[in-house]
Amino acid sequence: MGYKTLQDPQFAGLANYDPRALFAQLPTPAYVIDEERLRKNGEVLAALAERTGCRVLLAQKAFSNYDFYPLLSRYLAGTEASGLFEARLGAEEMPGGEVHVFCAAYRADEMDKLLRYADHIVFNSPAQLARFGPKAKAAGKSVGLRINPECSTQDGHAIYDPCAPGSRLGTTRAAWDAAVSQDPSLPQLLDGLHFHTLCEQDADALAVTLDAVAEKFGDLLPNMQWLNFGGGHHITRSGYDIATLEHCIARAQNAWGVTVYLEPGEACALNAGYLLTRVLDVVKNGDTTVAILD
């Protein structure tokens, strides 16, 4: 059915209904987005930025309903993308905001297009930095490297853990040192470092990770303009330890003089909507009862 609001003539008179009565009259399947809850999430993130001076981005891989980008742009500094098309989406639908992009590997045939949209480009490896970094710098972009602090704070999610043994994501300190020994000009390309190791976690995991970042990469950070803490921060969840998050932000700012970026995805849209569906059939198999949805 596409995107509609309660102001659409189709829903005339329903805006003040009990949600259950409203949902019963909507066509399914549909995503129903609670604009007020989305706004409250934005207010939490904007207040964090105002208190600390950090900059908060929308990770579009978690929420990319661009109909709500004008609303979110009131609270956020911009968008984070995982490739060319998300970068274009952020640039076109949240104009005036920063556009950051990280990809595990960039395609040479897409780099010129990407440079039209992205402000910050983060590379996953020294090889990618060496290949594309000079072109990005020449285009006036801020260039970063994703680091792997080799500090896992997740249990039972190794497949999603960027710090798991053998992870493809981020550059270890050993790999960085080996690359610089072969090409001493690499550090001159860098404006910032990026790490993303969390997944729906609280700030205690960030504090542990930041200790590891300081230990392994702290000597590089005074030469950087920014440090991106990545995503996975459940900032808008009830009970989240914002005080510890703010302490981590202040620690990085004071120790290394960097601008701190956060790029939450789920936290921007947490509890801000529903997947509305109908049960078409119920089947039983032994002791298991299964609902078949539309």
Side-chain angles (χ1 to χ4, degrees):
M1 62 178 280
Y3 169 72
K4 296 180 182 294
T5 73
L6 288 179
Q7 284 68 50
D8 189 277
Q10 177 181 350
F11 307 131
L14 297 182
N16 296 320
Y17 272 37
D18 178 275
R20 290 169 296 181
L22 170 60
F23 291 170
Q25 299 187 51
L26 294 178
T28 62
Y31 283 109
V32 178
I33 296 177
D34 185 334
E35 184 173 327
E36 182 60 26
R37 181 64 199 213
L38 204 63
R39 183 179 293 108
K40 288 180 179 178
N41 287 344
E43 289 171 352
V44 170
L45 298 172
L48 171 71
E50 183 175 358
R51 289 193 304 270
T52 65
C54 77
R55 300 183 67 78
V56 184
L57 309 169
L58 167 66
Q60 297 178 98
K61 60 180 173 286
F63 186 79
S64 56
N65 189 322
Y66 54 85
D67 294 297
F68 289 95
Y69 281 20
L71 184 154
L72 290 173
S73 67
R74 306 172 197 169
Y75 309 109
L76 304 176
T79 57
E80 183 274 336
S82 55
L84 170 61
F85 297 106
E86 281 188 2
R88 178 180 174 183
L89 180 66
E92 293 183 352
E93 299 297 336
M94 201 178 288
E98 297 182 38
V99 177
H100 294 227
V101 61
F102 164 80
C103 188
Y106 294 98
R107 292 171 44 148
D109 63 332
E110 292 184 349
M111 184 53 64
D112 286 343
K113 294 179 181 177
L114 188 63
L115 292 176
R116 298 179 195 170
Y117 303 114
D119 302 303
H120 285 214
I121 299 182
V122 177
F123 297 99
N124 189 58
S125 71
Q128 286 268 297
L129 175 65
R131 183 179 185 189
F132 297 115
K135 189 170 191 176
K137 292 288 284 189
K141 308 304 179 180
S142 189
V143 171
L145 178 73
R146 179 166 177 169
I147 57 174
N148 180 352
E150 301 175 88
C151 175
S152 178
T153 59
Q154 299 185 37
D155 293 322
H157 299 91
I159 192 172
Y160 304 114
D161 185 359
C163 293
S167 171
R168 73 192 187 283
L169 296 171
T171 298
T172 65
R173 184 57 194 258
W176 174 249
D177 288 344
V180 172
S181 70
Q182 297 296 315
D183 183 356
S185 68
L186 282 178
Q188 300 172 25
L189 294 171
L190 287 181
D191 299 303
L193 298 179
H194 173 287
F195 64 87
H196 182 160
T197 67
L198 306 185
C199 181
E200 301 180 5
Q201 288 172 278
D202 213 317
D204 57 339
L206 172 62
V208 171
T209 300
L210 196 58
D211 285 341
V213 170
E215 177 184 352
K216 294 183 179 294
F217 296 95
D219 59 315
L220 305 182
L221 282 163
N223 297 318
M224 300 296 133
Q225 298 174 19
W226 50 265
L227 176 62
N228 191 322
F229 286 7
H233 316 278
H234 240 193
I235 303 167
T236 55
R237 188 192 69 222
S238 176
Y240 179 86
D241 187 358
I242 287 186
T244 295
L245 172 61
E246 293 185 4
H247 175 77
C248 290
I249 294 169
R251 175 185 176 185
Q253 292 168 331
N254 294 332
W256 304 306
V258 292
T259 297
V260 172
Y261 284 93
L262 303 173
E263 48 188 43
E266 182 170 337
C268 293
L270 188 64
N271 298 324
Y274 317 88
L275 173 58
L276 187 63
T277 185
R278 281 182 167 82
V279 177
L280 302 181
D281 195 10
V282 176
V283 299
K284 294 189 67 110
N285 186 337
D287 294 330
T288 302
T289 301
V290 183
I292 307 298
L293 309 179
D294 62 352

